[in-house]
Amino acid sequence: IDICSQIEYFTLLPIKDQPEKGVIWFSSNHKQDGRLAKFYANNKLIETKEINQDITYTKEITLNNLNNIKIEIFDLNTNKLIFVKK
């Protein structure tokens, strides 16, 4: 295992016995970074997190529509959108 690798995960996890709910899960091990992550659920911004160290973010949400889960990542130095995942 390369502990210096820059690995990120973004997924929606189900909650047992609660089909109308899920958990957004995002993890990054970028130690030297300067990015901003915006998390959306059901077309609404639910949280903004600065990524400048190892981060694990979780948020329980109600699932109105699975197509409305999104993350946007911006470069903090340029404010440029560099990544979008739905």
mmCIF file of all heavy atoms in Angstrom, residues 20-45:
data_model
loop_
_atom_site.group_PDB
_atom_site.id
_atom_site.type_symbol
_atom_site.label_atom_id
_atom_site.label_comp_id
_atom_site.label_asym_id
_atom_site.label_seq_id
_atom_site.Cartn_x
_atom_site.Cartn_y
_atom_site.Cartn_z
ATOM 1 N N GLU A 20 -35.653 5.200 2.204
ATOM 2 C CA GLU A 20 -35.795 6.600 1.820
ATOM 3 C C GLU A 20 -34.603 7.454 2.253
ATOM 4 O O GLU A 20 -34.574 8.653 2.019
ATOM 5 C CB GLU A 20 -37.093 7.185 2.415
ATOM 6 C CG GLU A 20 -37.045 7.463 3.898
ATOM 7 C CD GLU A 20 -37.111 6.235 4.814
ATOM 8 O OE1 GLU A 20 -37.327 5.118 4.336
ATOM 9 O OE2 GLU A 20 -36.943 6.424 6.039
ATOM 10 N N LYS A 21 -33.590 6.825 2.883
ATOM 11 C CA LYS A 21 -32.429 7.570 3.370
ATOM 12 C C LYS A 21 -31.133 6.965 2.857
ATOM 13 O O LYS A 21 -31.071 5.808 2.474
ATOM 14 C CB LYS A 21 -32.413 7.600 4.896
ATOM 15 C CG LYS A 21 -33.563 8.373 5.472
ATOM 16 C CD LYS A 21 -33.353 8.672 6.913
ATOM 17 C CE LYS A 21 -34.514 9.547 7.372
ATOM 18 N NZ LYS A 21 -34.215 10.205 8.605
ATOM 19 N N GLY A 22 -30.100 7.792 2.854
ATOM 20 C CA GLY A 22 -28.772 7.351 2.465
ATOM 21 C C GLY A 22 -27.726 8.229 3.126
ATOM 22 O O GLY A 22 -28.053 9.210 3.797
ATOM 23 N N VAL A 23 -26.461 7.881 2.934
ATOM 24 C CA VAL A 23 -25.356 8.650 3.494
ATOM 25 C C VAL A 23 -24.401 9.022 2.365
ATOM 26 O O VAL A 23 -23.930 8.152 1.634
ATOM 27 C CB VAL A 23 -24.599 7.847 4.578
ATOM 28 C CG1 VAL A 23 -23.352 8.592 5.032
ATOM 29 C CG2 VAL A 23 -25.500 7.558 5.760
ATOM 30 N N ILE A 24 -24.148 10.316 2.213
ATOM 31 C CA ILE A 24 -23.098 10.770 1.311
ATOM 32 C C ILE A 24 -21.777 10.525 2.027
ATOM 33 O O ILE A 24 -21.627 10.886 3.202
ATOM 34 C CB ILE A 24 -23.244 12.263 0.983
ATOM 35 C CG1 ILE A 24 -24.512 12.513 0.177
ATOM 36 C CG2 ILE A 24 -22.015 12.768 0.233
ATOM 37 C CD1 ILE A 24 -24.808 13.981 -0.048
ATOM 38 N N TRP A 25 -20.823 9.907 1.324
ATOM 39 C CA TRP A 25 -19.522 9.635 1.916
ATOM 40 C C TRP A 25 -18.432 10.105 0.970
ATOM 41 O O TRP A 25 -18.402 9.729 -0.196
ATOM 42 C CB TRP A 25 -19.376 8.133 2.199
ATOM 43 C CG TRP A 25 -18.164 7.787 2.983
ATOM 44 C CD1 TRP A 25 -17.944 8.054 4.306
ATOM 45 C CD2 TRP A 25 -16.997 7.102 2.527
ATOM 46 N NE1 TRP A 25 -16.724 7.581 4.679
ATOM 47 C CE2 TRP A 25 -16.114 6.993 3.606
ATOM 48 C CE3 TRP A 25 -16.617 6.581 1.293
ATOM 49 C CZ2 TRP A 25 -14.878 6.385 3.498
ATOM 50 C CZ3 TRP A 25 -15.384 5.976 1.197
ATOM 51 C CH2 TRP A 25 -14.535 5.876 2.289
ATOM 52 N N PHE A 26 -17.551 10.989 1.476
ATOM 53 C CA PHE A 26 -16.425 11.503 0.702
ATOM 54 C C PHE A 26 -15.176 11.400 1.565
ATOM 55 O O PHE A 26 -15.187 11.765 2.734
ATOM 56 C CB PHE A 26 -16.650 12.970 0.303
ATOM 57 C CG PHE A 26 -15.453 13.596 -0.368
ATOM 58 C CD1 PHE A 26 -15.162 13.315 -1.690
ATOM 59 C CD2 PHE A 26 -14.621 14.448 0.327
ATOM 60 C CE1 PHE A 26 -14.056 13.883 -2.313
ATOM 61 C CE2 PHE A 26 -13.521 15.017 -0.280
ATOM 62 C CZ PHE A 26 -13.238 14.736 -1.602
ATOM 63 N N SER A 27 -14.109 10.900 0.971
ATOM 64 C CA SER A 27 -12.843 10.768 1.691
ATOM 65 C C SER A 27 -11.709 11.160 0.760
ATOM 66 O O SER A 27 -11.690 10.777 -0.411
ATOM 67 C CB SER A 27 -12.669 9.321 2.168
ATOM 68 O OG SER A 27 -11.420 9.158 2.796
ATOM 69 N N SER A 28 -10.755 11.924 1.275
ATOM 70 C CA SER A 28 -9.587 12.334 0.507
ATOM 71 C C SER A 28 -8.367 12.283 1.419
ATOM 72 O O SER A 28 -8.439 12.692 2.576
ATOM 73 C CB SER A 28 -9.769 13.753 -0.021
ATOM 74 O OG SER A 28 -8.582 14.198 -0.645
ATOM 75 N N ASN A 29 -7.255 11.786 0.886
ATOM 76 C CA ASN A 29 -6.041 11.781 1.694
ATOM 77 C C ASN A 29 -4.969 12.711 1.127
ATOM 78 O O ASN A 29 -3.790 12.513 1.336
ATOM 79 C CB ASN A 29 -5.501 10.358 1.885
ATOM 80 C CG ASN A 29 -4.830 9.810 0.643
ATOM 81 O OD1 ASN A 29 -4.988 10.351 -0.441
ATOM 82 N ND2 ASN A 29 -4.092 8.735 0.788
ATOM 83 N N HIS A 30 -5.416 13.758 0.443
ATOM 84 C CA HIS A 30 -4.485 14.772 -0.057
ATOM 85 C C HIS A 30 -3.984 15.579 1.140
ATOM 86 O O HIS A 30 -4.750 16.284 1.773
ATOM 87 C CB HIS A 30 -5.188 15.713 -1.035
ATOM 88 C CG HIS A 30 -5.550 15.063 -2.327
ATOM 89 N ND1 HIS A 30 -4.972 15.416 -3.500
ATOM 90 C CD2 HIS A 30 -6.422 14.079 -2.627
ATOM 91 C CE1 HIS A 30 -5.481 14.689 -4.482
ATOM 92 N NE2 HIS A 30 -6.367 13.877 -3.963
ATOM 93 N N LYS A 31 -2.714 15.477 1.448
ATOM 94 C CA LYS A 31 -2.181 16.181 2.611
ATOM 95 C C LYS A 31 -1.865 17.646 2.308
ATOM 96 O O LYS A 31 -1.965 18.488 3.173
ATOM 97 C CB LYS A 31 -0.943 15.471 3.137
ATOM 98 C CG LYS A 31 -1.284 14.103 3.710
ATOM 99 C CD LYS A 31 -0.150 13.578 4.543
ATOM 100 C CE LYS A 31 -0.431 12.188 5.037
ATOM 101 N NZ LYS A 31 -1.535 12.055 5.903
ATOM 102 N N GLN A 32 -1.459 17.940 1.087
ATOM 103 C CA GLN A 32 -1.169 19.320 0.714
ATOM 104 C C GLN A 32 -2.101 19.684 -0.424
ATOM 105 O O GLN A 32 -1.914 19.262 -1.563
ATOM 106 C CB GLN A 32 0.286 19.467 0.304
ATOM 107 C CG GLN A 32 1.221 19.178 1.450
ATOM 108 C CD GLN A 32 2.675 19.276 1.028
ATOM 109 O OE1 GLN A 32 3.006 19.136 -0.127
ATOM 110 N NE2 GLN A 32 3.523 19.540 2.000
ATOM 111 N N ASP A 33 -3.092 20.440 -0.101
ATOM 112 C CA ASP A 33 -4.141 20.706 -1.063
ATOM 113 C C ASP A 33 -4.669 22.108 -0.857
ATOM 114 O O ASP A 33 -4.397 22.744 0.149
ATOM 115 C CB ASP A 33 -5.271 19.691 -0.867
ATOM 116 C CG ASP A 33 -5.954 19.336 -2.159
ATOM 117 O OD1 ASP A 33 -5.941 20.155 -3.087
ATOM 118 O OD2 ASP A 33 -6.505 18.239 -2.242
ATOM 119 N N GLY A 34 -5.460 22.559 -1.765
ATOM 120 C CA GLY A 34 -6.121 23.842 -1.646
ATOM 121 C C GLY A 34 -7.368 23.829 -2.490
ATOM 122 O O GLY A 34 -7.433 24.484 -3.518
ATOM 123 N N ARG A 35 -8.346 23.041 -2.067
ATOM 124 C CA ARG A 35 -9.581 22.898 -2.842
ATOM 125 C C ARG A 35 -10.786 23.120 -1.941
ATOM 126 O O ARG A 35 -10.699 23.045 -0.729
ATOM 127 C CB ARG A 35 -9.658 21.510 -3.478
ATOM 128 C CG ARG A 35 -8.551 21.280 -4.486
ATOM 129 C CD ARG A 35 -8.604 19.919 -5.109
ATOM 130 N NE ARG A 35 -8.454 18.901 -4.076
ATOM 131 C CZ ARG A 35 -8.900 17.655 -4.197
ATOM 132 N NH1 ARG A 35 -9.520 17.272 -5.282
ATOM 133 N NH2 ARG A 35 -8.712 16.795 -3.226
ATOM 134 N N LEU A 36 -11.909 23.371 -2.582
ATOM 135 C CA LEU A 36 -13.173 23.552 -1.889
ATOM 136 C C LEU A 36 -14.174 22.575 -2.480
ATOM 137 O O LEU A 36 -14.340 22.514 -3.700
ATOM 138 C CB LEU A 36 -13.671 24.990 -2.082
ATOM 139 C CG LEU A 36 -14.941 25.365 -1.344
ATOM 140 C CD1 LEU A 36 -14.651 25.462 0.156
ATOM 141 C CD2 LEU A 36 -15.492 26.672 -1.854
ATOM 142 N N ALA A 37 -14.817 21.794 -1.635
ATOM 143 C CA ALA A 37 -15.822 20.831 -2.074
ATOM 144 C C ALA A 37 -17.205 21.344 -1.682
ATOM 145 O O ALA A 37 -17.418 21.769 -0.552
ATOM 146 C CB ALA A 37 -15.570 19.474 -1.442
ATOM 147 N N LYS A 38 -18.115 21.286 -2.657
ATOM 148 C CA LYS A 38 -19.514 21.650 -2.400
ATOM 149 C C LYS A 38 -20.357 20.404 -2.616
ATOM 150 O O LYS A 38 -20.297 19.778 -3.670
ATOM 151 C CB LYS A 38 -19.970 22.765 -3.338
ATOM 152 C CG LYS A 38 -19.266 24.081 -3.075
ATOM 153 C CD LYS A 38 -19.808 25.179 -3.965
ATOM 154 C CE LYS A 38 -19.150 26.499 -3.647
ATOM 155 N NZ LYS A 38 -19.718 27.592 -4.439
ATOM 156 N N PHE A 39 -21.150 20.056 -1.611
ATOM 157 C CA PHE A 39 -21.992 18.865 -1.638
ATOM 158 C C PHE A 39 -23.449 19.275 -1.825
ATOM 159 O O PHE A 39 -23.949 20.135 -1.101
ATOM 160 C CB PHE A 39 -21.834 18.079 -0.337
ATOM 161 C CG PHE A 39 -20.437 17.586 -0.110
ATOM 162 C CD1 PHE A 39 -19.527 18.353 0.585
ATOM 163 C CD2 PHE A 39 -20.038 16.353 -0.604
ATOM 164 C CE1 PHE A 39 -18.226 17.899 0.794
ATOM 165 C CE2 PHE A 39 -18.747 15.889 -0.398
ATOM 166 C CZ PHE A 39 -17.835 16.667 0.304
ATOM 167 N N TYR A 40 -24.102 18.635 -2.784
ATOM 168 C CA TYR A 40 -25.498 18.927 -3.101
ATOM 169 C C TYR A 40 -26.343 17.668 -2.939
ATOM 170 O O TYR A 40 -25.900 16.571 -3.270
ATOM 171 C CB TYR A 40 -25.641 19.391 -4.552
ATOM 172 C CG TYR A 40 -24.949 20.689 -4.862
ATOM 173 C CD1 TYR A 40 -23.604 20.718 -5.193
ATOM 174 C CD2 TYR A 40 -25.653 21.885 -4.836
ATOM 175 C CE1 TYR A 40 -22.966 21.917 -5.489
ATOM 176 C CE2 TYR A 40 -25.027 23.089 -5.132
ATOM 177 C CZ TYR A 40 -23.678 23.091 -5.455
ATOM 178 O OH TYR A 40 -23.052 24.269 -5.740
ATOM 179 N N ALA A 41 -27.557 17.835 -2.449
ATOM 180 C CA ALA A 41 -28.547 16.752 -2.395
ATOM 181 C C ALA A 41 -29.894 17.355 -2.740
ATOM 182 O O ALA A 41 -30.248 18.426 -2.234
ATOM 183 C CB ALA A 41 -28.594 16.107 -1.016
ATOM 184 N N ASN A 42 -30.623 16.687 -3.612
ATOM 185 C CA ASN A 42 -31.947 17.157 -4.030
ATOM 186 C C ASN A 42 -31.896 18.592 -4.554
ATOM 187 O O ASN A 42 -32.740 19.419 -4.233
ATOM 188 C CB ASN A 42 -32.952 17.013 -2.885
ATOM 189 C CG ASN A 42 -33.013 15.588 -2.397
ATOM 190 O OD1 ASN A 42 -33.075 14.655 -3.185
ATOM 191 N ND2 ASN A 42 -32.958 15.394 -1.091
ATOM 192 N N ASN A 43 -30.844 18.878 -5.336
ATOM 193 C CA ASN A 43 -30.626 20.182 -5.975
ATOM 194 C C ASN A 43 -30.402 21.325 -4.996
ATOM 195 O O ASN A 43 -30.561 22.492 -5.350
ATOM 196 C CB ASN A 43 -31.779 20.538 -6.917
ATOM 197 C CG ASN A 43 -31.833 19.619 -8.106
ATOM 198 O OD1 ASN A 43 -30.798 19.260 -8.661
ATOM 199 N ND2 ASN A 43 -33.022 19.226 -8.503
ATOM 200 N N LYS A 44 -29.999 21.025 -3.763
ATOM 201 C CA LYS A 44 -29.724 22.071 -2.778
ATOM 202 C C LYS A 44 -28.321 21.870 -2.215
ATOM 203 O O LYS A 44 -27.916 20.746 -1.919
ATOM 204 C CB LYS A 44 -30.736 22.023 -1.624
ATOM 205 C CG LYS A 44 -32.130 22.383 -2.036
ATOM 206 C CD LYS A 44 -33.063 22.379 -0.858
ATOM 207 C CE LYS A 44 -34.479 22.696 -1.327
ATOM 208 N NZ LYS A 44 -35.429 22.664 -0.238
ATOM 209 N N LEU A 45 -27.609 22.977 -2.053
ATOM 210 C CA LEU A 45 -26.295 22.930 -1.420
ATOM 211 C C LEU A 45 -26.488 22.563 0.044
ATOM 212 O O LEU A 45 -27.223 23.243 0.763
ATOM 213 C CB LEU A 45 -25.594 24.282 -1.544
ATOM 214 C CG LEU A 45 -24.221 24.393 -0.896
ATOM 215 C CD1 LEU A 45 -23.208 23.483 -1.589
ATOM 216 C CD2 LEU A 45 -23.741 25.845 -0.925
#
